[in-house]
Amino acid sequence: MDWTRSKTLALASNGCAHCRGLGLRDLLGGKQRPCVCVFRSIFRICYLRFQDCVTKEKHLSHVSFELHSGPNRRGTWGRKDEEFIADFSAIARRVLDDFEHRIFRYHFLLGADWRLCTRQLRMDRGTFFHAVYRIEKKMGQEFGEVEPFALYPVDEYFNALPRQRVIKASEPPPKKPSVIPIRPPIFHQLFGPVRKAA
Ligand SMILES: [Zn+2]
């Protein structure tokens, strides 16, 4: 995703001390990156949708047809709710370390509050909440940036159609370095220099 101020502004926390509610932070070299508060907002949006997918009655989940772009333009049938649950869980497994994943499982999947988590995992309250912030930041970033199908924006994940995507021209191939062909003078070696007929 190309992070622009118009995208991050709505997600940023008004009281954020790092970005002052703008959602972007300046890096060295003049580049800008989304603030942690933006990634945490993305996590919360996706987590709400995840809870909705997990808790809704199974007969409400429906099969949807998704068209593919490309030369044959075939499509596939899929169950988006189940795909979202699987992607959400796979990203947690991929980006979190073992310690963070245990907290993720207890707190976000099983619903244990901080008192129960700190007692079971034998840690203090500060360590627990620091880990929760890290989890939200890591997963929110991955939800927004994972290719080719980001979980955020959630509406695009569930309703993406090829014609709704921005179609860009493909990048030109990298310029090849100029090559000097090797032509051994075989003819001249065998027959000598060519002379024009008089
Ligand atoms: Zn911020």
Side-chain angles (χ1 to χ4, degrees), residues 16 18-19 35 37:
C16 179
H18 301 294
C19 66
C35 182
C37 65

Side-chain angles (χ1 to χ4, degrees), residues 86-102 104-105 109 139 143:
D87 284 344
F88 190 96
S89 307
I91 285 173
R93 176 56 74 187
R94 192 169 68 240
V95 301
L96 303 179
D97 60 33
D98 289 342
F99 171 70
E100 291 164 347
H101 195 264
R102 282 179 76 195
F104 170 76
R105 224 158 28 90
L109 297 187
M139 291 184 65
F143 290 158

Side-chain angles (χ1 to χ4, degrees), residues 16-108:
C16 179
H18 301 294
C19 66
R20 299 189 300 276
L22 296 175
L24 284 176
R25 295 177 70 181
D26 294 323
L27 299 178
L28 289 174
K31 292 184 178 176
Q32 287 188 315
R33 281 289 292 158
C35 182
V36 174
C37 65
V38 170
F39 292 138
R40 293 184 60 211
S41 292
I42 291 174
F43 173 83
R44 285 193 288 270
I45 291 166
C46 292
Y47 180 53
L48 279 176
R49 190 60 184 251
F50 172 80
Q51 287 177 308
D52 183 48
C53 292
V54 169
T55 55
K56 77 162 61 164
E57 294 289 338
K58 282 303 149 206
H59 68 270
L60 296 177
S61 170
H62 58 272
V63 178
S64 57
F65 186 73
E66 187 174 354
L67 281 171
H68 294 177
S69 56
N72 54 16
R73 299 188 61 78
R74 284 187 196 156
T76 49
W77 292 94
R79 296 175 74 97
K80 280 289 180 187
D81 287 348
E82 284 73 12
E83 287 173 19
F84 191 83
I85 293 168
D87 284 344
F88 190 96
S89 307
I91 285 173
R93 176 56 74 187
R94 192 169 68 240
V95 301
L96 303 179
D97 60 33
D98 289 342
F99 171 70
E100 291 164 347
H101 195 264
R102 282 179 76 195
I103 294 176
F104 170 76
R105 224 158 28 90
Y106 285 14
H107 184 58
F108 291 105

Side-chain angles (χ1 to χ4, degrees), residues 103-120:
I103 294 176
F104 170 76
R105 224 158 28 90
Y106 285 14
H107 184 58
F108 291 105
L109 297 187
L110 301 175
D113 66 2
W114 70 268
R115 288 188 182 84
L116 188 54
C117 286
T118 50
R119 197 167 65 233
Q120 286 295 320

Side-chain angles (χ1 to χ4, degrees), residues 115-186:
R115 288 188 182 84
L116 188 54
C117 286
T118 50
R119 197 167 65 233
Q120 286 295 320
L121 298 169
R122 294 191 177 84
M123 68 176 72
D124 61 87
R125 187 170 178 265
T127 308
F128 170 77
F129 279 107
H130 274 110
V132 168
Y133 291 157
R134 272 201 315 280
I135 291 166
E136 291 177 347
K137 187 256 174 190
K138 280 184 176 181
M139 291 184 65
Q141 182 172 358
E142 191 70 3
F143 290 158
E145 295 182 344
V146 66
E147 296 282 351
F149 301 111
L151 274 67
Y152 179 84
V154 175
D155 286 346
E156 282 185 21
Y157 182 92
F158 280 87
N159 304 311
L161 288 171
R163 61 175 173 272
Q164 290 175 330
R165 293 183 189 145
V166 178
I167 297 172
K168 295 178 186 171
S170 57
E171 293 290 323
K175 210 172 180 181
K176 289 180 182 173
S178 58
V179 177
I180 301 168
I182 301 167
R183 292 199 181 101
I186 298 169

